[in-house]
Amino acid sequence: MIEGKLRPYFQTRLFNPLASLLAKKFTANQVTGLSLLFGLAFVPLAALGWVWPAIGMLIISGLLDVVDGSIARLRGESSIKGALFDILSDRTVEAAIIIGLFLVAPY
């Protein structure tokens, strides 16, 4: 898959440096929580018609979601509870996207 080919490139050049920076101040679960909050912010912004800020929230949410696992590994804090929180957060943001899009175009 394309993700398998591109991920190593971005992992070493973007995700790992960002994870190292964030790991100094935040735990992986805190970053997952931030990812969730940014993802949920999509709904009101989309409903208000603020397309670019809404898209920006999704980009930030996605980026934080990518690095939270790297932070957990860097800090030696990987756990089943953290993985569950990450999965539930991902599904919640996906539901928020659907709700936000429905509020914009309910047909």
Side-chain angles (χ1 to χ4, degrees):
M1 292 289 220
I2 193 165
E3 193 264 344
K5 299 219 185 261
L6 292 177
R7 175 76 183 230
Y9 177 82
F10 287 102
Q11 187 70 44
T12 57
R13 289 170 178 77
L14 176 64
F15 304 143
N16 287 345
L18 180 58
S20 295
L21 182 68
L22 290 173
K24 294 176 184 174
K25 302 251 184 200
F26 300 100
T27 66
N29 285 340
Q30 288 172 328
V31 173
T32 300
L34 287 172
S35 172
L36 175 62
L37 291 175
F38 278 102
L40 291 175
F42 173 81
V43 175
L45 293 172
L48 291 169
W50 297 356
V51 175
W52 292 110
I55 292 170
M57 292 297 109
L58 287 182
I59 291 170
I60 294 169
S61 175
L63 188 56
L64 292 173
D65 182 48
V66 169
V67 299
D68 61 359
S70 298
I71 291 170
R73 288 184 291 280
L74 279 172
R75 293 176 59 121
E77 297 174 345
S78 297
S79 70
I80 292 173
K81 286 182 183 179
L84 180 61
F85 180 38
D86 183 51
I87 291 167
L88 291 173
S89 172
D90 292 348
R91 300 301 81 80
T92 302
V93 170
E94 290 166 2
I97 293 168
I98 293 168
I99 291 167
L101 292 174
F102 177 78
L103 291 173
V104 170
Y107 40 84

